[in-house]
Amino acid sequence: MIVSYGDLHLSSDRPWSLQVSNDVINFIINNPLNNKDNTLILLGDITDKSVVDGSVTDLLIKLFENLKYKETYICMGNHEGRVKNNVVSTTYDFIENEEYSQKLQCKIKIVRELWKTEIEGLTTLFLPHVYAQDGKSNKDYAHLTLDTIINTEFDLLVSHLTDSRLSFPSPDKVDISYIKSKFKLMGHIHSGEYADLGYVGSMVPNSVSENDFPRYEVIIENKDILKKNPLPKFLEYCEVAFPEPLMRTKGKTVVWTFTNCLSENQAKDHYKKDLFIRKCLYSSAIDKEGFKEVLEKSSSIEGSKHYRDWE
């Protein structure tokens, strides 16, 4: 059985990033499917940036050292790599260190270039992201003339690309329509709404606009059966007009935007919670009497100060 997840984007950049990234990793390693009977395919963008701090490296170590799959394949994405002296390095190259790899419960392979192989009895073609070097780029995939590619009907295509058949404009689209495969597992595009082209969606939204994108864990049981399981909401962005009550959410971690709110401290003082707050937006076009009543009930000196500032 093959288990696959889209872009992880592990990060420490925002106040909530480490918590969300840790939840994503816990989901993967605590999943009952994480065992020697199955194979894992990660679809790239394991980290959000090509240079990470120690806290993200610790998350990577936690992930890799707790994988119990028969094998794991990483289809290299466009976020975790950088080119130096014409060599591509990733944020997780350390797993290729021979001494370190012997500590792992699972054999892990980073797929850095076009590769034809067999996984769980399925003929598989990998098309990872190509970093610009020596005149190479993703566009090279549009001109493949290898008989072993164009004359083969694969069971599985795994890639980290923007398919040219997607309806929205993008500068990095690649025509891979000539590649024939029964199943597709595609990273890079963050929404699973393009499942007909193989996109499974990223594991978390990277912005507010991605909040409601479908995201899936994909399981290929055999040559005939592919299942998509909706993922939990590891991160959810919500907006509230202060001082309205906080709505109920399904997000494991919730990040709030407050309108008609003067500051993060004011929101936290009112709701009596240590919230993750993305932004507070203040407008003078608000119900001053209603807002004044809220502030007057607040014990915060800052609240009274802010009311005097705009009264």
Side-chain angles (χ1 to χ4, degrees):
M1 183 183 295
I2 294 173
V3 182
S4 185
Y5 299 107
D7 306 16
L8 274 62
H9 286 285
L10 304 179
S11 172
S12 61
D13 285 357
R14 299 171 180 174
W16 53 87
S17 296
L18 278 176
Q19 177 172 301
V20 174
S21 295
N22 195 57
D23 287 339
V24 166
I25 289 173
N26 284 338
F27 177 83
I28 294 173
I29 64 178
N30 294 328
N31 193 317
L33 296 171
N34 179 20
N35 64 65
K36 289 292 184 183
D37 293 329
N38 303 319
T39 295
L40 176 65
I41 298 179
L42 299 175
L43 300 176
D45 287 357
I46 307 301
T47 58
D48 193 51
K49 292 186 175 179
S50 60
V51 178
V52 298
D53 62 19
S55 61
V56 175
T57 300
D58 287 343
L59 289 174
L60 290 169
I61 291 170
K62 177 179 178 179
L63 171 64
F64 297 135
E65 293 189 358
N66 286 281
L67 291 178
K68 301 173 185 176
Y69 287 92
K70 183 191 313 176
E71 294 176 311
T72 292
Y73 299 90
I74 301 174
C75 184
M76 187 171 64
N78 63 303
H79 273 250
E80 63 262 59
R82 56 181 177 147
V83 180
K84 186 175 182 180
N85 297 325
N86 216 36
V87 175
V88 178
S89 60
T90 75
T91 50
Y92 43 83
D93 280 354
F94 62 88
I95 62 175
E96 294 181 326
N97 176 277
E98 184 176 355
E99 183 178 349
Y100 180 76
S101 65
Q102 291 175 355
K103 298 179 181 179
L104 303 178
Q105 303 178 69
C106 170
K107 180 181 177 182
I108 304 174
K109 178 177 177 59
I110 305 171
V111 183
R112 302 173 182 269
E113 57 189 8
L114 181 149
W115 185 44
K116 180 182 174 183
T117 188
E118 184 172 301
I119 300 176
E120 298 285 350
L122 277 66
T123 55
T124 303
L125 178 67
F126 279 85
L127 300 179
H129 174 76
V130 178
Y131 286 85
Q133 54 170 328
D134 286 341
K136 297 178 181 178
S137 75
N138 282 341
K139 297 295 183 184
D140 294 340
Y141 288 137
H143 306 294
L144 286 175
T145 57
L146 298 173
D147 288 342
T148 55
I149 303 300
I150 61 177
N151 294 327
T152 301
E153 184 163 348
F154 294 94
D155 295 313
L156 176 62
L157 171 64
V158 180
S159 83
H160 192 95
L161 301 169
T162 304
D163 193 312
S164 61
R165 289 167 288 187
L166 289 167
S167 59
F168 56 82
S170 175
D172 65 344
K173 283 186 175 182
V174 181
D175 181 9
I176 54 173
S177 60
Y178 62 91
I179 299 176
K180 300 179 286 291
S181 66
K182 182 168 186 177
F183 298 134
K184 299 180 181 70
L185 293 174
M186 306 280 283
H188 190 43
I189 301 303
H190 288 184
S191 177
E193 65 184 305
Y194 306 107
D196 58 322
L197 293 175
Y199 290 102
V200 305
S202 59
M203 294 196 74
V204 296
N206 242 12
S207 63
V208 176
S209 63
E210 297 181 3
N211 207 36
D212 296 320
F213 285 178
R215 311 169 195 285
Y216 301 105
E217 168 192 71
V218 178
I219 299 171
I220 301 177
E221 293 190 357
N222 52 49
K223 288 187 177 183
D224 299 311
I225 300 176
L226 180 148
K227 295 180 179 179
K228 296 184 300 180
N229 299 324
L231 288 169
K233 279 201 169 186
F234 298 106
L235 171 62
E236 185 172 4
Y237 292 98
C238 294
E239 182 174 307
V240 172
F242 184 82
E244 293 296 318
L246 302 178
M247 72 274 286
R248 290 185 177 181
T249 71
K250 294 182 178 180
K252 190 169 179 63
T253 295
V254 183
V255 176
W256 300 93
T257 294
F258 293 105
T259 58
N260 298 339
C261 186
L262 294 164
S263 71
E264 290 189 18
N265 286 340
Q266 192 62 49
K268 290 178 181 180
D269 183 68
H270 173 69
Y271 293 109
K272 308 299 183 186
K273 290 184 177 181
D274 186 16
L275 306 170
F276 286 122
I277 299 177
R278 174 178 167 268
K279 190 182 294 186
C280 289
L281 303 172
Y282 171 69
S283 169
S284 59
I286 61 175
D287 178 359
K288 288 190 175 183
E289 289 305 312
F291 197 44
K292 178 181 178 181
E293 181 180 350
V294 170
L295 294 179
E296 286 177 343
K297 290 179 179 179
S298 168
S299 60
S300 121
I301 297 176
E302 183 188 39
S304 302
K305 173 182 177 297
H306 281 309
Y307 179 74
R308 289 196 302 272
D309 286 344
W310 57 257
E311 188 178 23

